[in-house]
Amino acid sequence: MMRLFALLPLVVAAGSVQAFEVTSTVGTTLEATEVASFDEPWAMTFLPDGDLLVTTKPGRVFLTSQDGGKVEVGGVWEVAYGGQGGLGDVVLHPEFAVNGLVYISSVERVRGGSSAVVRRARLDRAGDVPVLRDPEVIWEQTPARRDGHFSHRIAFGPGGMLFITSGDRQAQDPAQDFDVALGKVIRLHDDGAVPADNPWQDQGELAKTFWTMGHRNLLGMAFDREGRLWTHEMGPRHGDELNLIEPGGNYGWPEVSYGNHYSGRRIPDHPARPEFVEPKAYWVPAISPAGLVIYDGAMFPEWQGDAFIGGLSSRALVHVDIDGDTAQEVERFEWNRR
């Protein structure tokens, strides 16, 4: 059982304690108070009225109020739960207040393997129980495989464009292959149509959906106030990265990394191959990055535009100062729990 905590203006998944304080490596103290508990929560998003939608890996979605009340949402499809698979991200359409559209990613059984799939559905709150109506698939990870590294984060960017992270499925080489949508950041219209201005228009039909390539397992994605896209990804054995995403960029996996293979075999560092885009920050030893937010609030003006990364193996909330195109960790709130 995991518990959802309100962390001042943030919300994080933490261990099963009701309230605690945590002091960062530079002395900042935050107080966390339990709001509600969930079985393997994976993602959440705020609705305009302040309620939240929370997804859980086993395949359930909950409508949750800030006082801890929650009700299960109906109309959720079957997911392939297990390992890294299950229900994933949830985001609202930029015009949700008008059209009620919600976008949810999940891992599903496909053609003898599994793939990440993104659906959109209309959230109907008219009855006693909220329901997802008319779900339709707008993107499917190609090809299906049996391994993990699905990534399947979702974000809307400037102009209402839809961005999806697609992991390398632990196969490595597909991240450099134009014929498979693995190890890529995908950019689509909100209905799944392929934009004509994506960078690779002459590498085949599938490559027309790519925004960037050369990625491993991107479990965090967020836009900053200037409309710039940031992602982080898990490195192999160390070498986790925070990247500023530029259209047409190749971020180097598996040809370069600041980490090594799990066997201990070396991978060349980024400077060895200057044709690949360098990360703006990286971690050795690994922090195992999970969620990502770019802070944009009034309560802590000194944090404006900075990144906050949930760390799994590091059991910490990592604060990264972003100044223009540079980024560096400045403090770490160590929770001592994943």
Side-chain angles (χ1 to χ4, degrees):
M1 180 71 72
M2 300 290 285
R3 298 184 184 274
L4 192 70
F5 285 81
L7 172 61
L8 298 179
L10 307 175
V11 179
V12 298
S16 55
V17 295
Q18 292 192 350
F20 63 93
E21 289 186 351
V22 60
T23 300
S24 78
T25 51
V26 298
T28 309
T29 299
L30 296 178
E31 178 182 342
T33 304
E34 179 182 324
V35 175
S37 61
F38 299 89
D39 180 18
E40 296 187 74
W42 206 92
M44 52 169 281
T45 191
F46 282 97
L47 301 179
D49 64 2
D51 286 347
L52 303 96
L53 287 175
V54 179
T55 64
T56 67
K57 253 183 76 179
R60 303 170 75 185
V61 179
F62 293 90
L63 180 65
T64 308
S65 63
Q66 293 192 41
D67 62 7
K70 65 179 185 179
V71 59
E72 186 168 357
V73 177
V76 180
W77 44 93
E78 184 177 353
V79 304
Y81 169 62
Q84 296 181 23
L87 205 60
D89 211 357
V90 54
V91 302
L92 307 182
H93 189 280
E95 297 181 4
F96 172 83
V98 175
N99 59 32
L101 291 177
V102 176
Y103 291 68
I104 297 177
S105 68
S106 56
V107 175
E108 302 175 27
R109 301 295 177 200
V110 178
R111 296 182 298 279
S114 59
S115 285
V117 176
V118 174
R119 279 180 171 83
R120 71 174 182 179
R122 181 174 55 85
L123 180 63
D124 182 357
R125 300 178 67 178
D128 294 335
V129 176
V131 178
L132 294 170
R133 304 284 188 192
D134 307 317
E136 61 174 325
V137 173
I138 62 168
W139 179 79
E140 182 181 300
Q141 195 175 49
T142 305
R145 298 184 67 94
R146 294 185 180 274
D147 299 314
H149 289 188
F150 302 98
S151 295
H152 63 102
R153 282 288 183 186
I154 316 168
F156 276 98
M161 303 304 292
L162 177 66
F163 292 78
I164 305 165
T165 65
S166 181
D168 74 340
R169 301 302 305 275
Q170 295 176 277
Q172 301 183 26
D173 291 341
Q176 294 294 326
D177 190 341
F178 284 106
D179 294 327
V180 293
L182 306 181
K184 313 297 193 300
V185 173
I186 307 297
R187 178 177 178 259
L188 302 171
H189 290 292
D190 64 347
D191 62 355
V194 180
D197 60 346
N198 279 354
W200 287 292
Q201 296 295 314
D202 57 355
Q203 296 288 339
E205 290 303 307
L206 192 58
K208 292 179 181 180
T209 67
F210 304 166
W211 193 242
T212 58
M213 63 189 300
H215 301 286
R216 188 173 182 268
N217 190 17
L218 310 97
L219 290 175
M221 176 167 59
F223 282 89
D224 64 20
R225 181 178 281 188
E226 286 74 43
R228 301 182 304 172
L229 179 57
W230 295 83
T231 67
H232 63 53
E233 60 187 85
M234 289 196 177
R237 189 176 183 181
H238 309 303
D240 301 330
E241 298 179 2
L242 176 67
N243 286 300
L244 178 59
I245 297 299
E246 300 287 353
N250 187 331
Y251 289 76
W253 177 254
E255 302 300 323
V256 292
S257 173
Y258 284 107
N260 291 325
H261 292 289
Y262 286 108
S263 66
R265 182 166 59 90
R266 277 203 74 248
I267 304 171
D269 290 345
H270 275 268
R273 298 285 299 274
E275 69 269 30
F276 297 127
V277 182
E278 279 249 22
K280 297 302 181 183
Y282 66 92
W283 285 268
V284 178
I287 60 171
S288 305
L292 169 68
V293 297
I294 306 295
Y295 183 75
D296 185 16
M299 186 174 290
F300 304 104
E302 67 275 16
W303 289 357
Q304 187 65 242
D306 288 354
F308 287 84
I309 301 171
L312 297 176
S313 63
S314 56
R315 302 200 220 178
L317 180 69
V318 179
H319 176 192
V320 178
D321 177 69
I322 295 177
D323 184 7
D325 289 346
T326 65
Q328 64 175 345
E329 178 182 335
V330 291
E331 63 181 332
R332 188 176 296 196
F333 300 89
E334 295 176 340
W335 305 104
N336 297 315
R337 54 183 65 83
R338 288 172 74 95

